[in-house]
Amino acid sequence: MELTKFQKGLGYMLVKQGLDLDKAAMIVSIFMKDEQLTCEMLVWLYDTNPNEEQIMHWIVEHT
């Protein structure tokens, strides 16, 4: 299964925020079936520039 441009972008943004590749891939896989949530997280990452703890908290709140 090929990743969409949003999933690729999410992975890139997560790595850019300092997450290791394994964690970024895990998060992308969590949101694989929900493109809307993927886009919401992308916008949130871009707007807030969060650290790893904030990212994990966002995931818990939205899944």
Side-chain angles (χ1 to χ4, degrees):
M1 179 176 191
E2 188 173 331
L3 295 175
T4 67
K5 62 183 176 182
F6 299 114
Q7 293 163 337
K8 290 177 187 176
L10 179 58
Y12 171 78
M13 288 293 291
L14 290 167
V15 170
K16 185 177 175 207
Q17 292 306 118
L19 273 70
D20 64 41
L21 202 51
D22 289 334
K23 284 182 185 173
M26 183 241 350
I27 292 169
V28 170
S29 70
I30 289 171
F31 297 128
M32 282 294 261
K33 296 188 187 219
D34 194 342
E35 188 114 343
Q36 178 66 33
L37 199 55
T38 299
C39 292
E40 287 177 23
M41 186 171 200
L42 261 173
V43 170
W44 177 77
L45 284 169
Y46 184 80
D47 286 346
T48 61
N49 197 26
N51 60 33
E52 184 174 339
E53 183 180 339
Q54 292 168 315
I55 292 169
M56 295 305 173
H57 183 74
W58 191 94
I59 292 168
V60 169
E61 286 183 347
H62 292 87
T63 56

